[in-house]
Amino acid sequence: MQAQVVRGSKQEIAETVVRISGEVREAIVFVEEPADAVAPAPGEDIFAEMEAFTVRAGGADYSREALYWPLVGE
């Protein structure tokens, strides 16, 4: 399986997807809300609906501190 990023207008993206050889099974689409749309509530996880597609290793520490600061001995 190969991942591919497609950018452009809706029309350009649709035309590019049609030309992709092989089977396209999934797509993640980012839709920009109009400027006058209601902003998400502070602290709301905008990626919560994508949680089912993430990988989590058992016992791993995913906190900001663990990701950005070295552990003792590193």
Side-chain angles (χ1 to χ4, degrees):
M1 184 183 305
Q2 175 187 356
Q4 187 172 354
V5 176
V6 179
R7 290 189 172 98
S9 67
K10 284 195 277 187
Q11 183 67 34
E12 292 167 339
I13 292 170
E15 290 170 358
T16 302
V17 170
V18 168
R19 288 192 307 266
I20 293 174
S21 61
E23 181 181 341
V24 177
R25 296 184 310 139
E26 293 181 12
I28 297 174
V29 179
F30 294 94
V31 179
E32 290 187 22
E33 297 292 330
D36 60 345
V38 177
E44 181 181 346
D45 184 4
I46 63 171
F47 295 107
E49 67 187 57
M50 295 173 62
E51 184 68 29
F53 301 104
T54 61
V55 176
R56 298 280 181 169
D61 185 359
Y62 293 101
S63 68
R64 181 177 298 274
E65 291 79 18
L67 294 174
Y68 293 106
W69 285 278
L71 297 173
V72 176
E74 285 188 315

